[in-house]
């Protein structure tokens, strides 16, 4: 499967961001990409206005997603991204969507909200309460996660036990002391401990680190970006996946969550 990582800095107005997404989609289609992953929260962003997520949120049938769906018609390209949609009581959902050929294939409302490092995502965002679905892309089963989810290994493990061979992670990873190191360690760990590919795409710009990367099932970074807007390509290989799971059978060797393990009473 050929994947593309569309790293960019999200603007304040949704029209500019839609144009950026459409341009990245066009380039990915021309390059015969199977899966294009974009960052988290790409409708609008302004570091001086943290409540912009409330004012800029659109339903999935609003003009932002509608434009992307129209552009995807007739194409085999799958595009994944995160947007904010209206919820009840003046709040929003942080929703990861997968689109292809004019249709929304899957939706995932972010489970783990970023209430850490002096940030409070839950101030405006309502958490989801359902395990993300798997999406079939070019013969691979793809599991969905969003940003802060990567710090919770039980979600990645659940998706892999459900059959995921690739984990997709749109993100807006905030800058700060050691934060780039956290990102690299966590993305690599989720890939290695589950012998799966991880396609992690971060927003860049004033607040966030960028540093998008693809890590293979043995923990090798096979593609990566720096801090600037870029479109990066990588090839995901079933042979590499099978090899990793043969030489490192952690999914078979695990004890917790299996009937063989019993607690003392």
């Amino acid at each position: 499967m050929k994947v593309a990582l569309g790293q960019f800095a999200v603007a304040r107005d949704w029209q500019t961001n839609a144009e950026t997404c459409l341009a990245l989609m066009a380039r990915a289609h021309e390059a015969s990409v199977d899966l294009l992953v974009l960052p988290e929260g790409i409708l609008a962003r302004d570091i001086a206005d943290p409540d912009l997520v409330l004012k800029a949120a659109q339903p999935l049938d609003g003009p932002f997603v509608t434009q992307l769906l129209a552009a995807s018609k007739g194409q085999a390209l799958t595009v994944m991204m995160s947007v904010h949609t209206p919820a009840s009581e003046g709040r929003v959902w942080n929703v990861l969507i997968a689109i292809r050929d004019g249709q929304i294939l899957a939706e995932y409302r972010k489970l783990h909200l970023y209430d850490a490092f002096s940030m409070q995502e839950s101030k405006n965002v309502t958490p989801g309460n359902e395990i993300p679905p798997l999406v079939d892309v070019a013969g691979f089963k793809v599991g969905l996660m969003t940003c802060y989810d990567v710090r919770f290994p039980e979600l990645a493990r659940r998706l892999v036990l459900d059959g995921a061979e690739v984990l997709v992670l749109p993100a807006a990873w905030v800058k700060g002391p050691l934060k780039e190191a956290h990102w690299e360690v966590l993305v690599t760990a989720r890939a290695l401990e589950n012998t799966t590919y991880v396609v992690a795409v971060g927003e860049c710009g004033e607040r966030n680190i960028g540093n998008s990367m693809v890590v293979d099932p043995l923990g090798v970074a096979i593609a990566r970006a720096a801090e600037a807007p870029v479109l990066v390509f990588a090839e995901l290989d079933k042979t590499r996946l099978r090899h990793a799971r043969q030489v490192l059978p952690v999914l078979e060797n695990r004890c917790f969550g299996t009937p063989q393990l019993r607690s003392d009473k």
Side-chain angles (χ1 to χ4, degrees):
M1 175 167 66
K2 186 174 183 179
V3 301
L5 292 67
Q7 176 173 296
F8 67 98
V10 177
R12 180 178 174 82
D13 61 287
W14 70 263
Q15 294 93 337
T16 298
N17 297 321
E19 291 172 2
T20 299
C21 293
L22 292 172
L24 290 168
M25 289 170 62
R27 291 174 60 191
H29 176 64
E30 291 171 3
S32 299
V33 166
D34 298 301
L35 173 62
L36 168 64
V37 183
L38 303 174
E40 176 189 22
I42 60 173
L43 254 176
R45 191 179 317 285
D46 184 346
I47 61 173
D49 185 2
D51 293 332
L52 183 61
V53 293
L54 299 176
K55 295 176 281 188
Q58 295 182 17
L60 293 181
D61 60 358
F64 182 86
V65 174
T66 298
Q67 282 193 40
L68 304 191
L69 289 173
S72 74
K73 284 186 178 179
Q75 297 183 2
L77 173 66
T78 301
V79 186
M80 297 185 181
M81 73 207 80
S82 159
V83 296
H84 289 100
T85 66
S88 60
E89 300 178 351
R91 297 167 65 78
V92 296
W93 304 103
N94 187 338
V95 185
L96 196 169
I97 60 172
I99 68 173
R100 183 170 64 222
D101 192 16
Q103 302 292 325
I104 296 177
L105 305 177
E107 304 172 27
Y108 160 56
R109 293 173 174 175
K110 187 177 181 182
L111 284 169
H112 301 100
L113 301 184
Y114 184 52
D115 289 357
F117 292 107
S118 301
M119 305 288 287
Q120 190 178 7
E121 187 177 11
S122 65
K123 176 185 175 185
N124 294 321
V125 180
T126 298
N129 59 8
E130 296 182 355
I131 298 297
L134 301 185
V135 180
D136 291 321
V137 182
F140 284 79
K141 291 191 177 297
V142 181
L144 311 180
M145 301 172 65
T146 304
C147 201
Y148 193 48
D149 282 337
V150 77
R151 290 189 182 272
F152 300 87
E154 59 272 17
L155 177 58
R157 176 55 56 88
R158 167 60 189 269
L159 291 170
V160 170
L161 293 180
D162 285 348
E165 299 161 308
V166 181
L167 298 176
V168 161
L169 185 77
W173 202 262
V174 180
K175 296 176 181 178
L178 300 178
K179 291 295 296 300
E180 292 187 12
H182 292 188
W183 168 258
E184 182 164 352
V185 167
L186 290 163
V187 171
T188 302
R190 299 296 86 83
L192 183 56
E193 71 194 2
N194 291 297
T195 52
T196 188
Y197 283 98
V198 177
V199 181
V201 180
E203 196 240 353
C204 58
E206 294 182 73
R207 191 191 73 162
N208 298 320
I209 67 171
N211 284 25
S212 301
M213 59 194 304
V214 179
V215 179
D216 84 357
L218 287 176
V220 179
I222 60 172
R224 60 194 314 155
E227 79 289 353
V230 69
L231 184 64
V232 176
F233 301 98
E235 294 279 352
L236 278 52
D237 187 348
K238 286 263 191 169
T239 301
R240 178 67 167 174
L241 184 70
R242 288 192 294 267
H243 170 71
R245 292 184 174 183
Q246 180 182 13
V247 300
L248 183 62
V250 289
L251 299 177
E252 295 179 14
N253 296 159
R254 65 193 175 90
C255 295
F256 288 91
T258 65
Q260 292 83 357
L261 190 66
R262 295 286 184 266
S263 60
D264 293 333
K265 295 183 179 180

